[in-house]
Amino acid sequence: MSSAAPVRNPVEKRMARLHDLWWERTDDASLRAVVLRLPPDSQRMLDAFFALQMVDSDYATPDLFLRLDAAYETGYRYSRELRQAMIETVAHNRPQLAKQGVAGPWEEEHASGRDSAAGFVDTGLSLARHLRRQRLSVVLQPGGVSDLACFERWLDAAMQAPVPPQDAGLLRLVLVDDSDSRAWQPLVERHAGIVRVVDAPLDILEAAREIAAQAGGGAGGAALFRQLHADMLMLLRRGDAAAVEATAERAARLATRNGWSDQRAVLDVMVGGAWLQARDFARSVARYRQARAAAAEATQAGNPMGPMLLMQGWMAEGGAWAAAGDMKQSAQAFEQAGETARRIPNSLFAVEGRRAAAQAWLGAGERDRAWASALAGVREARAMADADRPNSTVPQLLQDMLAMQDPRRCERIAQCATAYEREARAALVEADLAGHRLGPHPPPAAIAAIEAQLVQRYELLFQGQLREREQLVQGGEEVFRTVVAMGREWLDPAWSGLPHVKHPLDLSPGEWREPPAFSRLPDPQPFVEAA
């Protein structure tokens, strides 16, 4: 085993430890997969480790790491997209590979019948041979998974795919796990002996604390403050509210001595969150109010973060009152948050403050005040950039308004979407299984037929739910239909409330196989202007 060079800082220490662990745990030709198990919130540390594998560093392992993030929809499509990513990687790096003596065509680039887990394994082994028998570790972190059982079936097939004895150990899959959820433990147990767990020592909070501790005294105790802040983050993770508060008091004395009123606000918000987690609502609210006092002081001193911290203090207090069940106090705090955001200005939080206030007023039984707060949210949304609205809480605001007008109709519209999603997922699972049954080297024509059938099924289901939802929209009162019209103008031409159902192939209405059968809705502009 090769050990990493001497280290200089806490991050390097962890990179070196993982480097050594990789050697110790994975230098085994029988392995087909490695599960890297991380502490929570430590993906960025793992990203750093993978980045070091791409350069000549003291922490590089013998493996060539290839990170693939294609989403899993069906096994045959996933296999195809992974193979295509490999092919594109080789094409992109061909000049560099030629300098390293890897020349000539890669035989796998134009192969067919590879739309399966076994086909992907064949491709990976072929690439490893093409790279002069370079051991290849393929990191699979799908951007999305349509059905976990289907994905696990694909992984099982990859584990069981035949590998020529002379190629044993050339290709390994790498899966990233969370040390809390241990989601891939069943896979480890199903394939005992060919899957190995590596517990990666990459706790980002511990590293941050050590960095702060090694930073030296610093002017005004800045290094000590950073260390205490890191301690608080670790204590928050453990759920020790009293210890978080005690540590915050030490940090607050430093902040007060140095005039860091914005940092005092941050500390108080953290302590408030710790007490909220412990369900001590009185202490939580008290701390959020202290945070606002510090934020106001920062604002008066000209600190640009002051207004945002003030708004966050109001939002946090609103959430605490809601958790405590006092919806009236919650609504008042959220209204203050929205007004503070409006003055910053921050339209995203201005909308959310008003939306949250509307829901709290509704929870308090004051429907008129709830509607007034929702209309205030519409006023804030009106000033937003068109591109920002779909990615904000504007969709939820409009949905809340629909529910205030006709909750039963909203429920029925949502049920249409839920039924569509359920049936579309069933069609997807059926297609996935059909592809799996074709074996390790499915004929391209058979895969194409499965895909065509799936698309046709998607279209039929989509058009069916579209007609059902439109009928329900048109049966609503004028205000209901006007709010839907706002959604179609601001969010999506086919919006009919939440959950929103997009075209299964992500096509715009002008590209649909059947033109949208939408009826005329009221012009929302007068309503928006009067809000």
Side-chain angles (χ1 to χ4, degrees):
M1 186 194 81
S2 172
S3 295
V7 296
R8 296 181 296 277
N9 63 49
V11 172
E12 288 180 325
K13 180 174 73 174
R14 283 159 175 79
M15 296 297 108
R17 181 59 182 142
L18 182 53
H19 163 277
D20 294 348
L21 279 173
W22 189 267
W23 274 90
E24 294 167 8
R25 300 284 295 157
T26 72
D27 192 19
D28 182 347
S30 68
L31 289 186
R32 301 290 295 271
V34 178
V35 173
L36 271 174
R37 193 163 282 161
L38 308 179
D41 306 316
S42 296
Q43 178 66 47
R44 287 173 61 189
M45 291 279 281
L46 184 61
D47 292 342
F49 177 76
F50 286 143
L52 288 170
Q53 306 311 303
M54 306 303 292
V55 297
D56 185 15
S57 76
D58 292 330
Y59 312 106
T61 69
D63 296 42
L64 175 63
F65 285 84
L66 181 60
R67 301 180 70 184
L68 302 178
D69 61 0
Y72 184 94
E73 185 178 4
T74 60
Y76 57 80
R77 182 171 296 177
Y78 187 60
S79 304
R80 184 189 310 153
E81 291 181 356
L82 294 183
R83 289 188 67 251
Q84 187 59 35
M86 285 185 172
I87 291 167
E88 291 173 358
T89 298
V90 170
H92 178 74
N93 292 285
R94 190 159 275 134
Q96 184 64 28
L97 292 173
K99 293 178 182 178
Q100 297 171 5
V102 179
W106 176 28
E107 61 185 26
E108 187 68 22
E109 290 188 56
H110 305 293
S112 61
R114 296 287 195 269
D115 292 348
S116 66
F120 161 73
V121 170
D122 288 344
T123 302
L125 290 170
S126 174
L127 178 56
R129 291 192 298 267
H130 180 67
L131 298 176
R132 302 165 75 176
R133 305 194 65 78
Q134 165 66 57
R135 190 162 69 191
L136 189 64
S137 287
V138 181
V139 184
L140 299 180
Q141 289 186 285
V145 174
S146 62
D147 185 273
L148 184 58
C150 290
F151 184 43
E152 290 188 351
R153 181 168 58 219
W154 185 93
L155 289 169
D156 287 341
M159 294 295 98
Q160 295 159 0
V163 174
Q166 66 271 23
D167 291 339
L170 277 184
L171 174 72
R172 290 95 64 85
L173 303 185
V174 180
L175 299 168
V176 179
D177 209 356
D178 184 290
S179 59
D180 285 353
S181 65
R182 298 164 60 92
W184 292 121
Q185 188 59 30
L187 180 84
V188 174
E189 294 169 1
R190 281 200 305 275
H191 300 285
I194 62 171
V195 179
R196 188 77 43 83
V197 175
V198 175
D199 289 303
L202 300 179
D203 192 311
I204 195 167
L205 295 184
E206 289 183 356
R209 185 187 184 284
E210 289 179 25
I211 289 170
Q214 292 179 11
L224 177 57
F225 183 86
R226 288 193 295 269
Q227 182 179 346
L228 292 169
H229 185 269
D231 288 345
M232 289 176 66
L233 291 172
M234 292 184 67
L235 292 166
L236 268 171
R237 180 193 286 174
R238 296 173 191 164
D240 190 340
V244 171
E245 184 172 64
T247 306
E249 293 302 332
R250 293 180 60 199
R253 287 194 289 272
L254 278 173
T256 300
R257 189 158 61 240
N258 287 278
W260 302 333
S261 49
D262 58 335
Q263 294 303 312
R264 288 199 346 257
V266 171
L267 295 171
D268 284 324
V269 166
M270 292 174 68
V271 176
W275 286 120
L276 181 59
Q277 185 177 319
R279 301 193 65 77
D280 190 328
F281 303 118
R283 286 183 174 180
S284 178
V285 167
R287 275 294 181 167
Y288 290 143
R289 290 178 175 176
Q290 282 185 219
R292 289 205 308 277
E297 187 179 319
T299 301
Q300 292 170 359
N303 189 310
M305 285 301 298
M308 279 294 292
L309 290 167
L310 186 62
M311 180 274 297
Q312 289 170 4
W314 280 117
M315 289 292 290
E317 180 175 336
W321 283 122
D326 191 331
M327 304 311 293
K328 186 172 182 179
Q329 294 252 44
S330 175
Q332 291 169 346
F334 282 134
E335 284 187 339
Q336 290 293 331
E339 179 60 22
T340 305
R342 185 190 66 79
R343 290 196 300 265
I344 290 175
N346 185 305
S347 57
L348 291 172
F349 280 103
V351 169
E352 176 54 15
R354 301 299 186 179
R355 187 204 69 80
Q359 283 301 290
W361 283 125
L362 201 61
E366 301 202 28
R367 188 186 181 285
D368 289 345
R369 297 190 75 167
W371 187 252
S373 287
L375 291 178
V378 169
R379 287 197 297 273
E380 300 298 342
R382 182 175 62 194
M384 292 176 72
D386 291 345
D388 291 341
R389 293 193 193 102
N391 300 314
S392 68
T393 55
V394 169
Q396 189 61 56
L397 170 67
L398 299 187
Q399 176 67 22
D400 293 346
M401 294 174 75
L402 292 177
M404 279 189 254
Q405 290 296 314
D406 194 336
R408 177 58 185 148
R409 190 171 300 274
C410 282
E411 183 181 342
R412 291 170 65 194
I413 289 173
Q415 286 170 350
C416 291
T418 302
Y420 164 78
E421 295 290 351
R422 183 176 60 249
E423 292 178 34
R425 181 173 177 177
L428 187 71
V429 170
E430 184 180 328
D432 183 276
L433 187 56
H436 179 73
R437 286 171 178 159
L438 291 174
H441 298 292
I447 291 293
I450 292 171
E451 289 194 299
Q453 187 176 20
L454 178 60
V455 168
Q456 184 180 34
R457 183 67 179 146
Y458 275 163
E459 286 279 359
L460 288 172
L461 292 171
F462 178 73
Q463 290 292 339
Q465 67 82 31
L466 195 70
R467 287 190 293 270
E468 289 182 52
R469 283 165 68 105
E470 186 64 16
Q471 187 176 5
L472 287 165
V473 167
Q474 293 300 333
E477 298 291 337
E478 183 173 2
V479 173
F480 188 96
R481 289 181 291 115
T482 301
V483 174
V484 172
M486 270 196 295
R488 291 183 181 175
E489 183 175 299
W490 280 356
L491 305 172
D492 187 285
W495 197 81
S496 295
L498 297 181
H500 177 51
V501 178
K502 297 182 69 174
H503 190 277
L505 304 181
D506 208 22
L507 302 178
S508 64
E511 300 172 299
W512 293 357
R513 182 175 297 181
E514 292 183 31
F518 295 140
S519 301
R520 188 176 181 83
L521 292 174
D523 180 2
Q525 200 58 34
F527 183 91
V528 172
E529 292 175 356

